[in-house]
Amino acid sequence: FGIRALLIVTATLSPATATTWSEKDTTEDEYPPLWDLAPENLLDFPLKNNKIIINPWNYPERLGIYKILLNSSAKYFAAFGNQNFGNILWGLPLQHGWQFRTGRLADPSHVTSCGYEDGDALCVSVRSWWSCMNYYLAVIPFLGAVDAGLFGQLQYEIEILPPEERKADFCLSVADCRSRMPKLMDEWKDYFEVNNKAMNSVFSSSFDMDEALGLMWRAHVTSISYALPKFKDRLKYFSDPEANFGKDWSTAVDFIAATHFSTDLQNVNHFQTFLPPRMLVKGDVPPNISDFSPQQNRVVLSLRALNKANRISG
């Protein structure tokens, strides 16, 4: 059953039935929510005391980290589609956008109004397991890119603001992160450095997409492995079905990574139509969740089976 579940999940990754970008123009729905509000370059962030101040606990600002990474790495992917659509970093902001759209970045404990319409709707809660896990797939890649020189010689120092609580769970600078998790920082740095070396070689055709995917997925999986034990206590704020789905999703990423799934704009948008359109609540039992599509029910059920098979097999 575990193998069957993997086949079902893998089948959803194929964009064979999706319309190619050459056949249609992009629409606003294909970008993460509020994409136009996100900063486009480092100087769009506040500048204070000769420091660029970035608050990753604000949704548009964390989204801006991704937009800047995409813009700065666009040259690597010029041969893989117009308008940077072939950039394999699209998976990160699109996942973050799905988390925001489905309410997964709001405070699940309801102690604060962070992330809710009647409070600070753009707040990213430090109590949310999803937002804490995502920090390791946003700020850490960004600092790895800084370390790799993706942005060239920076005129100003970058300051990452900590959350209001549990500050010790998050590193805030290249030096801080490197001292705590050198392997993870090296892997993200390697991803950006290898791409840059390929582009700066005599023949730009030496850029190897499969090598790039391998390095990106290696760093992605390592980010999750660092974050999982650190934030497992945040799962207590969720319903059992949502907590289980989060754990199932983390396991599935290992298998998706092994396929070198191309996380470009088209592929990720196609894949995300199969993900839950809201938080899972008590009483949600796939494949019989009434407001989920049959495909969404099937994926939630398959991820559960995949995680179970993975645990049983050791």
Side-chain angles (χ1 to χ4, degrees), residues 112-280:
T112 71
S113 62
C114 179
Y116 294 100
E117 288 295 333
D118 58 354
D120 184 353
L122 300 181
C123 175
V124 175
S125 176
V126 72
R127 293 179 175 233
S128 163
W129 178 86
W130 289 99
S131 65
C132 291
M133 293 292 291
N134 178 262
Y135 186 96
Y136 277 67
L137 290 165
V139 174
I140 308 302
F142 173 74
L143 292 175
V146 171
D147 202 17
L150 180 68
F151 311 117
Q153 188 67 37
L154 292 177
Q155 184 179 359
Y156 303 103
E157 187 180 340
I158 293 174
E159 180 176 340
I160 306 292
L161 297 183
E164 292 184 356
E165 58 183 77
R166 301 289 294 266
K167 297 179 183 180
D169 287 340
F170 307 95
C171 60
L172 304 170
S173 67
V174 170
D176 184 19
C177 295
R178 181 162 289 287
S179 68
R180 296 201 213 181
M181 50 197 81
K183 180 176 182 288
L184 177 57
M185 285 292 288
D186 279 342
E187 289 187 0
W188 280 112
K189 184 181 180 183
D190 285 349
Y191 168 74
F192 290 107
E193 278 187 340
V194 167
N195 292 347
N196 197 39
K197 287 175 184 175
M199 283 300 297
N200 289 332
S201 65
V202 176
F203 302 105
S204 61
S205 61
S206 64
F207 180 85
D208 186 326
M209 177 62 90
D210 192 62
E211 180 184 16
L213 284 165
L215 290 167
M216 186 275 294
W217 276 117
R218 183 185 69 170
H220 190 124
V221 168
T222 303
S223 282
I224 289 176
S225 70
Y226 267 92
L228 267 177
K230 189 179 290 291
F231 301 121
K232 63 182 179 181
D233 64 317
R234 308 296 207 280
L235 290 169
K236 68 185 178 186
Y237 297 122
F238 290 146
S239 67
D240 286 345
E242 179 68 18
N244 288 334
F245 173 71
K247 290 182 284 188
D248 297 342
W249 176 239
S250 299
T251 297
V253 169
D254 278 343
F255 292 90
I256 295 169
T259 71
H260 282 202
F261 173 60
S262 181
T263 43
D264 57 59
L265 189 70
Q266 177 189 2
N267 282 358
V268 177
N269 269 312
H270 172 73
F271 175 59
Q272 289 197 156
T273 63
F274 298 94
L275 296 182
R278 60 162 173 80
M279 298 268 280
L280 291 157

Side-chain angles (χ1 to χ4, degrees), residues 64-81:
I65 289 174
Y66 291 128
K67 186 182 276 191
I68 291 164
L69 284 175
L70 279 160
N71 289 344
S72 299
S73 61
K75 60 186 178 181
Y76 306 146
F77 300 94
F80 300 97

